[in-house]
Amino acid sequence: LIWSVGGIPRDDFKQSDNQKVVFSLTVLCCLDGVLTPQKGEFVDKAEKVKGMEGAGKALESIARTYGHTFFNTSLLDFPRLMDDPANVAGNLRFDIAGFSPDVLAAESRFSSTESPSSTGGVEETISWESI
């Protein structure tokens, strides 16, 4: 999993940032993997409440019916991102924007943490917003 994720940023990000991006992409891949089996059904239901007052609470309720505490309203998933390498950066930003506020809040906490580098030092991880 991590090696396949690591190959994605090759053309879209500076080589020096690839290692920093891998962590965020791995988390994204795992979250998408959890949501994928029911994602199409969820997105169909989400479209019906989009723009309505209280849509955020309605989306949370719909997610709970599938056994999830988070959601993503984007039709994209990780395999689809990999199927379009020429547009992976833009599609990744679009996919990330579809995550529920709690996932985005958790990401902001990750972006301020440090992760070990292959040289034994530490490097700051990249925020999904910078991807």
Side-chain angles (χ1 to χ4, degrees):
L1 169 69
I2 293 183
W3 296 120
S4 65
V5 169
I8 291 173
R10 191 173 300 131
D11 297 327
D12 293 296
F13 307 100
K14 294 186 306 185
Q15 185 174 3
S16 62
D17 289 340
N18 283 357
Q19 189 174 17
K20 299 174 189 175
V21 172
V22 170
F23 176 74
S24 292
L25 290 177
T26 302
V27 171
L28 174 65
C29 182
C30 291
L31 293 175
D32 269 348
V34 168
L35 298 175
T36 296
Q38 302 95 8
K39 195 166 188 180
E41 293 175 28
F42 174 83
V43 171
D44 288 343
K45 291 178 181 181
E47 283 296 317
K48 294 176 183 173
V49 299
K50 187 177 180 179
M52 294 173 50
E53 187 174 333
K57 293 288 183 193
L59 292 171
E60 291 171 6
S61 177
I62 295 168
R64 281 193 301 275
T65 66
Y66 292 106
H68 303 300
T69 58
F70 63 95
F71 58 85
N72 188 329
T73 58
S74 164
L75 273 174
L76 293 173
D77 57 23
F78 212 76
R80 287 186 184 139
L81 291 172
M82 294 173 63
D83 286 343
D84 188 7
N87 297 304
V88 72
N91 288 341
L92 182 59
R93 287 184 193 98
F94 180 78
D95 189 47
I96 291 167
F99 274 104
S100 53
D102 54 340
V103 170
L104 297 176
E107 180 279 326
S108 70
R109 288 191 297 271
F110 281 123
S111 68
S112 64
T113 64
E114 295 179 337
S115 64
S117 72
S118 61
T119 60
V122 291
E123 295 181 26
E124 187 177 336
T125 58
I126 284 189
S127 166
W128 288 347
E129 293 171 355
S130 65
I131 292 177

